[in-house]
């Protein structure tokens, strides 16, 4: 009889890690077209306006300055987020227009609004993983930190289900703390 040896414990942990990360990613991708909160409508308007001309989303100057009103379909709003978020949404809008030049209000447009948050969440997960590995030298701890963020139901609900753009602000904030800790 030929006996087979069991897989090493490290391989089983890596397999579980990859499986959970893949499941969390599939859940996040499946949630992208969901309607989200009422803020998602505002971000659609911002994305469309920023894709057309990001320099006018806040207004057009004047004495006193004229605050910009953005219009899309029968909706009107103004901008109260920092410029970087508008550049990110505008880039997503420019890319989305390659697939739907008419910018129809449909689930794909909702998904396009949420893609910057998804990408920044991925980058934040990588940053957390790298940082923990760099500081501790322990791959197992780095993997658990990555799982703690990426597979966390709260971050999935906040991001791709409800459509909030928090990772757009969290990534540079946490990166700044990491750089500060490294003495940069």
């Amino acid at each position: 009889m030929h006996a087979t040896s069991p897989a090493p414990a490290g391989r089983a942990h890596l397999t579980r890690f990859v499986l959970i990360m893949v499941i969390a990613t599939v859940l996040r991708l499946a949630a992208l077209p969901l309607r989200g909160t009422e803020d998602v409508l505002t971000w659609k308007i911002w994305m469309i306006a920023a894709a057309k001309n990001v320099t006018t989303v806040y207004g057009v100057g004047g004495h006193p300055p004229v605050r910009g009103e953005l219009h899309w379909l029968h909706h009107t709003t103004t901008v109260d987020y920092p410029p970087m978020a508008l550049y990110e949404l505008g880039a997503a809008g420019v890319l989305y227009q390659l697939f739907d030049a008419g910018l129809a209000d449909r689930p794909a447009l909702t998904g396009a609004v949420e893609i910057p948050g998804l990408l920044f969440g991925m980058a934040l997960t990588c940053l957390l993983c790298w940082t923990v590995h760099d500081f501790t030298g322990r791959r197992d701890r780095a993997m658990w930190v990555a799982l703690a963020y990426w597979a966390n139901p709260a971050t999935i609900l906040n991001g791709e289900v409800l459509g909030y753009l928090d990772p757009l602000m969290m990534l540079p904030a946490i990166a700044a703390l990491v750089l500060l800790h490294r003495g940069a």
Side-chain angles (χ1 to χ4, degrees):
M1 250 174 96
H2 182 267
T4 60
S5 62
R11 176 174 255 175
H13 287 294
L14 181 60
T15 301
R16 261 192 307 250
F17 170 78
V18 169
L19 180 62
I20 293 169
M21 293 297 275
V22 166
I23 290 169
T25 301
V26 168
L27 288 171
R28 287 174 180 271
L29 290 172
L32 281 177
L34 298 177
R35 190 175 75 183
T37 67
E38 65 272 0
D39 291 334
V40 174
L41 172 62
T42 300
W43 295 321
K44 285 180 188 180
I45 300 167
W46 292 357
M47 180 180 79
I48 291 165
K52 291 177 184 172
N53 187 351
V54 73
T55 63
T56 62
V57 296
Y58 291 102
V60 292
H63 241 340
V66 177
R67 186 165 186 180
E69 284 191 355
L70 308 178
H71 305 278
W72 178 63
L73 301 176
H74 61 279
H75 306 288
T76 301
T77 190
T78 58
V79 174
D80 58 4
Y81 266 37
M84 192 64 186
L86 277 293
Y87 286 114
E88 294 153 356
L89 287 171
V94 166
L95 291 175
Y96 181 75
Q97 283 180 315
L98 297 174
F99 302 99
D100 180 6
L103 298 166
D105 191 10
R106 56 189 182 134
L109 181 65
T110 303
V113 168
E114 295 178 15
I115 284 176
L118 174 72
L119 295 176
F120 274 60
M122 289 174 153
L124 179 57
T125 302
C126 292
L127 174 65
L128 293 170
C129 186
W130 173 83
T131 301
V132 170
H133 185 265
D134 188 54
F135 288 165
T136 68
R138 302 265 315 262
R139 188 177 92 172
D140 60 329
R141 289 184 181 173
M143 290 168 50
W144 281 113
V145 166
L147 280 176
Y149 178 78
W150 189 249
N152 187 323
T155 63
I156 295 170
L157 180 66
N158 179 272
E160 289 73 26
V161 175
L162 297 177
Y164 289 114
L165 301 175
D166 295 346
L168 273 64
M169 284 49 120
M170 291 184 334
L171 176 63
I174 292 174
L177 293 174
V178 169
L179 290 171
L180 181 66
H181 183 75
R182 296 181 63 85

